[in-house]
Amino acid sequence: LLNPENSTTYFLRADCYSKLGNYEKAVENLLTAEDKDFEDMFSLLNCRGTVWRSLGNSEQAEIDFRNALTLLGYHETADQKIETTQSFTNNFNNTSTIYENSCRNRQEEFGSYSFSDKVEIHSHIRALSLHALSLYDLRRYAEAYVELKEALMISRRLSQASKIASP
């Protein structure tokens, strides 16, 4: 039996519906999970954006993906996008440099570039990519290009840092 008060139950059931191609039921369960204060709104928004996209609702998908990016500190307003992106890139570069230096020193631990930092960086890459896809669907090609370029830059930098870490 499902616990009708547990938001995670609805989120997981929505994931199952989505994988089975029953996108309407997936959206219904994701909305219920949100109403019941599901804790991981970033995951919920990305999941729901993907479902909206599968249903052909590019406008709603873009809204959910943009809101997921907002949770990561992106897109407070259109005017702040460049400033926020530069701030994130600077923070990422600083963290990456610390990690590279710790790897060069052959430290056994991750140092300042922890596993959770890697997970967060992959979340940024995924969120940027999903948002770019929704922008592309809406024929907002220049904006999609900027988002994908940003995701690729972060991915490339992470890959370079990982190569340094490998013996």
Side-chain angles (χ1 to χ4, degrees), residues 129-156:
S129 299
L130 288 171
H131 190 239
L133 285 173
S134 67
L135 292 169
Y136 182 86
D137 291 344
L138 294 169
R139 300 180 191 269
R140 291 164 55 185
Y141 302 121
E143 292 172 83
Y145 172 78
V146 169
E147 301 271 356
L148 284 174
K149 185 176 174 184
E150 205 171 316
L152 287 170
M153 182 277 307
I154 294 167
S155 182
R156 195 172 303 130

Side-chain angles (χ1 to χ4, degrees), residues 91-108:
N91 289 338
F92 175 78
N93 288 337
N94 290 339
T95 302
S96 183
T97 301
I98 290 168
Y99 176 65
E100 290 168 10
N101 290 338
S102 72
C103 291
R104 284 194 179 108
N105 294 332
R106 303 215 179 267
Q107 293 178 349
E108 289 296 317

Side-chain angles (χ1 to χ4, degrees), residues 33-88:
E34 183 178 22
D35 289 343
K36 294 193 176 292
D37 298 322
F38 185 68
E39 289 183 19
D40 187 358
M41 281 305 296
F42 177 77
S43 294
L44 187 141
L45 290 167
N46 278 315
C47 184
R48 193 171 63 202
T50 301
V51 172
W52 283 127
R53 194 164 180 262
S54 296
L55 285 168
N57 190 336
S58 299
E59 292 83 11
Q60 193 60 50
E62 192 276 331
I63 290 168
D64 279 347
F65 292 141
R66 182 172 11 101
N67 287 337
L69 282 170
T70 299
L71 291 175
L72 295 176
Y74 281 86
H75 305 298
E76 292 85 359
T77 66
D79 295 335
Q80 293 174 330
K81 180 178 179 188
I82 292 173
E83 181 180 326
T84 301
T85 300
Q86 288 171 342
S87 173
F88 173 76

